Amino acid sequence: MLRRPRVALVAAVVGLCLSMAGSAGAQTPAGPSPRVRDLLGRMTLDEKIGQLNQIPGGRQRALNSRLDAAALDRVRRGEIGSFLHVAGAAQLRELQRMAVEESRLGVPLLFGMDVVHGYKTLFPVPLALAASWDPALMEQTARVAAVEATAAGLNWTFSPMVDIARDPRWGRVVEGAGEDPYLGSVLATAQVRGYQGTSLADPTSILATAKHFVGYGAAEGGRDYDSADITDRTLHEVYLPPFHAAAKAGAGSMMTAFNDIGGVPLTAHPALVRGVLRDRWGYDGLIVSDWNAIPELLNHGIAATPQAAGALALRGGVDMDMAGNLYSAQLKGAVEADSALLPMLDQAVIAVLTAKERLGLFDAPYGRTDPAREAAAMLTPEHRAVAREAARRSIVLLKNDGGLLPLAASVRRIAVIGALAEDANSSLGSWRAQGKVEDVRPLLPALREALPQATLTYAQGYRPEAAQAIAVTASGEGAQAVVEISDADALAEAVAVVRASDLVLLVVGEHFDRSGEARSYTDIGLSAAQDALAAAVLDTGKPVVVLLMNGRPLAIPELAERAPAILETWFLGVESGPAIADVLTGRVSPGGRLPISFPRASGAAPLTYAHLPTGRPAAEDLVRDTARYRDQPITPLFAFGHGLSYASFDYSDLRLSTTEVAADGSVEVSVTVRNVSDVAADEVVQLYVRDPVAAVSRPVQELRGFRRVAFVPGEAKRVRFTLTPAQVAFWDPDGWRIQTGEIQVMVGASSADIRARAAFTITSEGVSDIPAAAIATPSSEEPVA
Ligand code: NOJ
């Protein structure tokens, strides 16, 4: 494990020495283990290249479908190091047996899949889980995913996606933890721990992949795969920290990103992959390309031939070729043409073999391929219970005028409007592994069960229809789009149902397939059909609770203005319906908080609460020329960290343990939070900092601590955070610089709801070697009178 951040009082940056948490057979500073060294020494060039070759054994929705005779022969010949899109204990046992017993050297295979938010028990989509602000919960969901996936023979997941996303036009915001590098780092750590457990060699542990290294979320215009044109500072302060946190947590693999930064694709980026990740951070895990990304170096225009592309990727530090078939076809020629590539090839093979060793595959190749365990492991009542808890904790109450929620017991006639209310398919979100629609408990039946005293009447209000295949996923499968059609009859029926009700639950948002890979949109509002429906429902004057279902922030200013209550329910997985019902009925008070800002308009993206002040900070007054849009207020629609509760909380007595701290010291920030209501509820206490004067302009706010705290009615707790100056350091090519001067501290219920402020002074200069946002802030809570 990495130790605490090293703060030097002299300007020297010492490379970090990472080690794999609890892993067997870890590489030591002395290099690979004796077994790996021995194997390497006995391998032919072809066998080495075979280890670097990952091929699809099936398709995302047709697992194992490509395991034909030719593929099996390649296994026997040692030409394959890993399969993806495969699963099933019996099938993978047989495949593993071929590799172990029928190939010359008996090297076991890695079996990978995108197990992203559950395997069979589907949890909320990652952005929703991040809204729980609950690292322990994310660790638990990742653990369940690991238990189920490994029972099905898998030993490698391409998760967590730790890309920071500040542009909701980018469809993959759904897969990550949102806009903030501190929150992202804490949650990345939790997920890696959950996937990998205490020992990677445990048969219920799965190799985690932090992806996509790096800058993928900064795609220009929010267009998936597009270039990221970001400064070194932004790269180091915003996009790299969660990767550092994942590395420090022992993530066994990393995936390079499709995009380029400043013209250099990450698939062939020696400065970042070898320079930062390997050398500076000391990362010794397995680095895999993204799907077909090595051949795509030709499209990037940095390689004229496939052979040159292979050489570039290897030089860039990519160990394994995912689905590109390029290393296997070209590396031999490349190495023969340039023997300087040979040591790099050996390094790549060492990384693959070491990952296999850490997973315990040499000693127990069939540890994860037990059909009896597979039969018993899936969607157990315990796993469903975790899914229900996760879904409840991910829900965010965005607005609740007049305390419309929770639903009063006296409400008898409820109209449920909008096709998403019965869309079990959308509840699963993107990357659903083996999640099945029939295992989802959707909203409508769950509501009927939870509200037996009420009459529920349902109307769609518009027609969702499957359109022609318009898109192709990364694995080459056609995807169906859903178009929503305004239909006068459907609308009239919905309005009639609304008129005959006392209260309306209006379920709108996006079909799940609008967010995810290659799902970038310029318009992130509601569809025209849903807009028309919402307007018609609101025009009736009935009390309306909006239930949003979506995978990205939506620009819905009118809805936010007109609807008295809005509940953000994302795509919540198999327990979606009951969890939403729990919150609507008040069995559970909503405690989720937004991990990403909601813009007022599509044209306001990208955006973040952690922006720089600029020379002309945005001002309300339009007479002044300031950094703002003239046609929108200066605030987001809903701010980062925002989320209401059925309870109310009072913050008081913010104290710092000291107001002067040396560069290598620490300061304790404590505050009393009291539940001043008669409702049991969670509050997410958030700690932000600002360096008001530094050598470079610093963000107006940066999250540096949080704690989700449970309160019974009337209860008060003292919540403590321990901050170090290294956490407010700014990036500099020579190290993370800690400067003397004032640091402002803000504590509150969201980035836009600061309840108390204080300040301390850093009294000496220093240099730290860890990205500031990747340093976790210890916190604690204790009851007070
Ligand atoms: C492409 C995606 O970018 C990546 O996240 C995923 O892991 C691979 N395809 C494999 O499915």
Side-chain angles (χ1 to χ4, degrees), residues 85 114 158 172 211-212 255 258 290-291 322 431 474 517:
H85 297 335
D114 294 278
F158 309 125
R172 298 195 82 168
K211 69 185 188 185
H212 308 81
M255 187 187 295
F258 283 124
D290 205 338
W291 181 281
M322 179 192 281
W431 296 123
E517 185 175 348

Side-chain angles (χ1 to χ4, degrees), residues 602-691:
S602 303
L607 76 164
T608 174
Y609 80 98
H611 59 82
L612 299 185
T614 80
R616 295 187 174 189
E620 306 270 3
D621 183 358
L622 272 173
V623 173
R624 292 164 55 198
D625 293 346
T626 63
R628 59 167 299 175
Y629 296 108
R630 293 194 81 82
D631 59 347
Q632 293 288 345
I634 60 175
T635 51
L637 186 61
F638 297 110
F640 174 80
H642 173 71
L644 303 173
S645 167
Y646 295 155
S648 312
F649 296 95
D650 184 61
Y651 286 63
S652 63
D653 200 17
L654 175 64
R655 264 187 261 159
L656 306 183
S657 59
T658 174
T659 52
E660 299 208 329
V661 58
D664 59 352
S666 66
V667 51
E668 187 192 86
V669 179
S670 58
V671 66
T672 296
V673 181
R674 185 180 298 276
N675 179 355
V676 290
S677 73
D678 55 6
V679 179
D682 290 358
E683 172 73 335
V684 180
V685 182
Q686 301 168 37
L687 170 68
Y688 295 88
V689 295
R690 179 179 184 179
D691 183 345

Side-chain angles (χ1 to χ4, degrees), residues 4 654-671 687-690 704-705 718-728 738 741-747 758-763 775-780:
R4 281 161 51 81
L654 175 64
R655 264 187 261 159
L656 306 183
S657 59
T658 174
T659 52
E660 299 208 329
V661 58
D664 59 352
S666 66
V667 51
E668 187 192 86
V669 179
S670 58
V671 66
L687 170 68
Y688 295 88
V689 295
R690 179 179 184 179
R704 283 296 181 269
R718 191 89 188 140
V719 181
R720 295 174 200 279
F721 299 98
T722 305
L723 271 181
T724 56
Q727 295 179 272
V728 294
I738 303 165
E742 185 189 75
I743 299 297
Q744 298 169 350
V745 173
M746 294 156 262
V747 175
F760 63 87
T761 302
I762 299 176
T763 55
I775 303 171
T777 304
S779 70
S780 65

